[in-house]
Amino acid sequence: MSFRVTRPLHTLMLDDVRGAQKMLSGVARVTAMEGSRHLSSLVGAPVHLKCENLQRTGSFKLRGAYVRISGLRPEERAAGVVAASAGNHAQGVALASSLLGVRSTVFMPVGAPLPKVAATREYGADVRLHGHVVDETLAAAERYAAETGAVFIHPFDHPDIIAGQGTVGLEILEQCPEVRTILVGVGGGGLAAGVGLAVKSVRPDVRVVGVQAEGAAAYPPSLAAGHPVAIEAPSTMADGIRVGRPGDVPFSLVREYVDEVRTVSEDDLSSALLLCLERAKLVVEPAGASPVAALLSDPKAFQGPVVAVLSGGNVDPLLMQRILRHGMAAGGRYLSLRLRVTDRPGALATLLAVLTVVDANVLDVGHVRTDPRLGLTEAEVELHLETKGPEHCVEVRDALRDAGYVVLD
């Protein structure tokens, strides 16, 4: 079955998304909708999680990639496709191409997480590592397309891509017909544009809210200006939405169908990822956790029932480790500090005894004895502690000070 959006951009319609849904039947999973008791209690209304992190390839990207590639003409398929991505789009294009019998080449940045590189290769793509930033990788892919005739598959700036991503919105309406608010992460805007178009065309009363990371928030200034505006050096742990400029195609749809675009901090993202793991038992990448971060940062701002789209779960284990520590620290569950002790036998045991009394779990201890700032009989101890919350952190610091220690951090 072949599908291709043939209308001009501004007339992309609900029927295009419904056509994409038929195309994806038996290809993309209808992902689960899981309730969250904890988030529901915070919001004061039912909150559901749309688990695209459980989609094939670990994100929603397969939907748009499959629809886009399936719409290619025979001569275009014969030329193969090329994409540039650090992760989710790469895997979506690789699997979609394999399912459709199309040769794929995927450019990924040097230093891309090894699990994502390996997965992309396993899905059948010829992976080429080029450039240290995504712009360099993108330029290499575009050169390859020009030289070989391969069709460049953009991650978000094409009507077919948006139609495919919009099927997430149709599923939400089928699974949670009483929904009043939908939150979705925003990078280039393909997912938000598709979900907004699909949902608002059927239920104009539903509020659609986009969420961006503060350090990579190109949509607020773009919406204010009325056209896509590039921001310099976008920076966030949420690499899935770290995009410096909105796509031309999704921008007009986001402006028309998305009611609001909010921003969240890195601390919010860390806390959201930790919550998804601990409370929902779901592995979610930072970009996928951004809607949950918005709920945590301002839970009373959303009318329920609420659906938060967990757009992906492809997170490098090393990054996950750092994020979890950051999230634990932000939630008062992890405390790092330095203090001065007298450098004599038994000093460390005495210090640890104080921590035992206040029930702080010691994860790591480091000693410094040769710093020129230290006195002849002094040592500096760095402690990493597992704590029970902000109040417990204060209790630990107070106990150390009461015992006569100089707490430096």
Side-chain angles (χ1 to χ4, degrees):
M1 181 179 181
S2 179
F3 175 81
R4 185 180 188 130
V5 175
T6 57
R7 299 184 184 89
L9 158 65
H10 63 277
T11 58
L12 190 65
M13 297 174 66
L14 176 63
D15 284 348
D16 298 313
V17 182
R18 285 180 169 154
Q21 188 175 42
K22 292 179 181 178
M23 163 60 57
L24 290 168
S25 177
V27 175
R29 295 172 181 153
V30 177
T31 50
M33 184 84 75
E34 298 287 343
S36 172
R37 190 175 302 173
H38 179 71
L39 288 172
S40 297
S41 67
L42 292 178
V43 173
V47 175
H48 305 280
L49 306 175
K50 176 62 171 167
C51 299
E52 282 297 289
N53 59 311
L54 303 180
Q55 183 58 260
R56 296 178 71 178
T57 76
S59 88
F60 70 97
K61 289 288 189 177
L62 172 65
R63 297 173 183 263
Y66 189 90
V67 172
R68 173 76 173 101
I69 297 169
S70 71
L72 298 179
R73 296 183 293 272
E75 62 272 22
E76 291 174 321
R77 291 193 184 200
V81 300
V82 61
S85 167
N88 289 346
H89 181 57
Q91 293 173 68
V93 168
L95 179 57
S97 299
S98 294
L99 294 173
L100 292 164
V102 177
R103 184 177 70 257
S104 65
T105 302
V106 176
F107 285 78
M108 303 182 76
V110 174
L114 293 179
K116 294 184 179 182
V117 175
T120 304
R121 285 194 172 120
E122 288 173 7
Y123 288 129
D126 174 16
V127 175
R128 305 190 181 191
L129 301 178
H130 185 94
H132 294 277
V133 296
V134 174
D135 287 344
E136 295 172 354
T137 308
L138 179 62
E142 291 174 334
R143 284 196 302 271
Y144 179 89
E147 293 167 0
T148 66
V151 178
F152 180 67
I153 307 299
H154 199 283
F156 50 81
D157 211 9
H158 193 281
D160 288 348
I161 295 288
I162 294 170
Q165 320 305 29
T167 60
V168 174
L170 294 182
E171 288 180 16
I172 290 172
L173 294 180
E174 292 165 1
Q175 294 171 306
C176 185
E178 68 278 14
V179 63
R180 299 294 299 172
T181 305
I182 297 174
L183 290 93
V184 57
V186 182
L191 178 62
V195 169
L197 166 64
V199 169
K200 289 288 191 177
S201 297
V202 179
R203 289 276 308 281
D205 59 303
V206 174
R207 186 170 181 80
V208 179
V209 179
V211 184
Q212 290 205 293
E214 286 178 355
Y219 261 91
S222 297
L223 291 169
H227 58 82
V229 173
I231 60 172
E232 293 186 7
S235 176
T236 174
M237 71 175 77
D239 58 341
I241 54 175
R242 190 171 58 221
V243 178
R245 182 185 182 278
D248 293 325
V249 179
F251 175 77
S252 62
L253 295 168
V254 168
R255 182 170 57 177
E256 182 174 357
Y257 294 112
V258 175
D259 296 283
E260 177 188 6
V261 176
R262 289 178 165 242
T263 61
V264 292
S265 69
E266 299 297 285
D267 282 351
D268 293 333
L269 289 168
S270 296
S271 297
L273 189 148
L274 184 61
L275 183 144
C276 288
L277 187 63
E278 285 192 322
R279 296 300 184 98
K281 315 306 178 191
L282 292 168
V283 175
V284 183
E285 64 190 88
S290 58
V292 175
L295 288 173
L296 292 178
S297 66
D298 193 3
K300 300 305 181 183
F302 308 102
Q303 183 180 3
V306 176
V307 172
V309 180
L310 307 182
S311 58
N314 292 317
V315 56
D316 179 65
L318 294 177
L319 176 62
M320 170 73 87
Q321 185 180 42
R322 293 197 299 270
I323 292 171
L324 289 179
R325 283 200 170 191
H326 188 84
M328 289 177 70
R333 303 267 306 284
Y334 183 86
L335 178 63
S336 295
L337 47 81
R338 294 181 300 120
L339 45 83
R340 298 276 174 86
V341 300
T342 302
D343 190 12
R344 58 175 175 77
L348 181 58
T350 302
L351 169 62
L352 296 179
V354 175
L355 297 173
T356 299
V357 171
V358 291
D359 202 23
N361 186 31
V362 179
L363 301 176
D364 193 22
V365 179
H367 282 86
V368 176
R369 290 187 172 90
T370 57
D371 193 304
R373 294 172 298 177
L374 296 173
L376 186 62
T377 61
E378 286 184 322
E380 186 175 289
V381 176
E382 182 177 359
L383 294 170
H384 300 280
L385 309 173
E386 183 180 3
T387 48
K388 301 174 183 178
E391 293 181 358
H392 191 211
C393 290
V394 173
E395 182 184 352
V396 170
R397 289 177 179 275
D398 289 345
L400 290 169
R401 291 192 179 100
D402 290 345
Y405 292 102
V406 177
V407 179
L408 303 175
D409 287 338

